[in-house]
Amino acid sequence: MGEPERRSDRVLVEQFRAGDREAFTALYRPHFPSVYRFAFYMTGDRTRAGEITQDVFVWLVYHPDEFDAERGDLGAFLGGVARKFLLRQQRSERRWMPFDDAATPRLVESARGNLVSEMEREQEAAQLRQAIAALPVRYREAVVLCDLEAKSYEEAATLLGCAMGTVRSRLHRARELLVRKFQGKKEGLRCL
């Protein structure tokens, strides 16, 4: 009739546990993009995001028994694994990325009003990614999950292991910090 029904993640994980390498490939293809996006949004660095993503799937190769389909779907599970790798990496670097003016990008106001070139849009997107990466981790996670990954408050709370109200308040505070940073830069440009 149509194309064959995609096997469920649960079945694929069971087949992989039994030694089916093609089952792992079938798991990797649909889940790789979301794990990579999460890591990229959290780090703001394509290379580090690629490394984290690779670490997540290598970890899955060695720990397929850790996934329990009764507790949730594989996408959320892999997101949690990526989050743990990111936190471990941050702890090992033993540095905190300051959220100060040095790390804040400049917004470029277009002289043409609403018509902004593609290059300027890309630059502004890069500046926003940099600003998000400069947020403290608890706020960055809320922005990445809810605003960039379009997860519900409930999904984000489950993934972060906190209450839904906590996710909402972190998201509110993160947005406040971002707005304040960009408004401060715009006002500084107007004074010049």
Side-chain angles (χ1 to χ4, degrees):
M1 213 193 281
E3 62 183 76
E5 183 180 320
R6 189 173 83 81
R7 295 178 284 179
S8 75
D9 289 340
R10 175 190 298 222
V11 171
L12 289 170
V13 169
E14 289 172 9
Q15 290 174 343
F16 175 65
R17 286 177 186 151
D20 184 352
R21 290 182 180 204
E22 289 180 25
F24 180 80
T25 303
L27 287 168
Y28 175 82
R29 285 188 179 136
H31 293 289
F32 164 80
S34 63
V35 171
Y36 177 81
R37 268 192 319 271
F38 176 73
F40 177 61
Y41 290 146
M42 288 299 292
T43 63
D45 182 333
R46 293 182 193 284
T47 303
R48 285 178 60 197
E51 290 169 358
I52 293 291
T53 303
Q54 180 178 352
D55 290 345
V56 167
F57 286 98
V58 168
W59 182 89
L60 182 61
V61 165
Y62 291 102
H63 302 93
D65 294 333
E66 295 290 322
F67 172 65
D68 180 4
E70 299 298 322
R71 295 184 66 202
D73 64 82
L74 184 62
F77 175 77
L78 293 174
V81 172
R83 180 176 181 258
K84 288 183 183 192
F85 274 108
L86 286 161
L87 293 173
R88 183 180 302 154
Q89 184 182 66
Q90 183 184 28
R91 276 192 307 270
S92 71
E93 291 173 351
R94 297 211 188 278
R95 70 175 194 201
W96 180 76
M97 186 180 297
F99 192 60
D100 61 0
D101 290 343
T104 306
R106 283 185 27 223
L107 279 181
V108 178
E109 292 192 41
S110 174
R112 296 181 303 273
N114 291 336
L115 298 175
V116 179
S117 72
E118 187 64 31
M119 188 170 146
E120 287 172 326
R121 281 189 196 129
E122 288 176 20
Q123 183 180 17
E124 287 176 355
Q127 291 170 345
L128 180 59
R129 282 192 300 272
Q130 182 183 2
I132 291 169
L135 287 170
V137 173
R138 65 184 176 273
Y139 301 135
R140 189 177 343 141
E141 288 174 335
V143 169
V144 168
L145 292 172
C146 295
D147 288 343
L148 302 177
E149 291 289 319
K151 303 263 188 227
S152 69
Y153 294 132
E154 185 177 354
E155 291 170 319
T158 300
L159 188 70
L160 297 174
C162 64
M164 202 164 41
T166 302
V167 170
R168 288 180 180 190
S169 66
R170 287 178 182 175
L171 187 59
H172 177 75
R173 179 71 175 136
R175 289 173 180 164
E176 229 174 42
L177 289 170
L178 290 171
V179 166
R180 202 175 313 150
K181 283 297 185 181
F182 285 113
Q183 281 179 341
K185 289 299 177 181
K186 280 184 176 182
E187 288 171 10
L189 290 173
R190 286 184 195 144
C191 293
L192 295 176

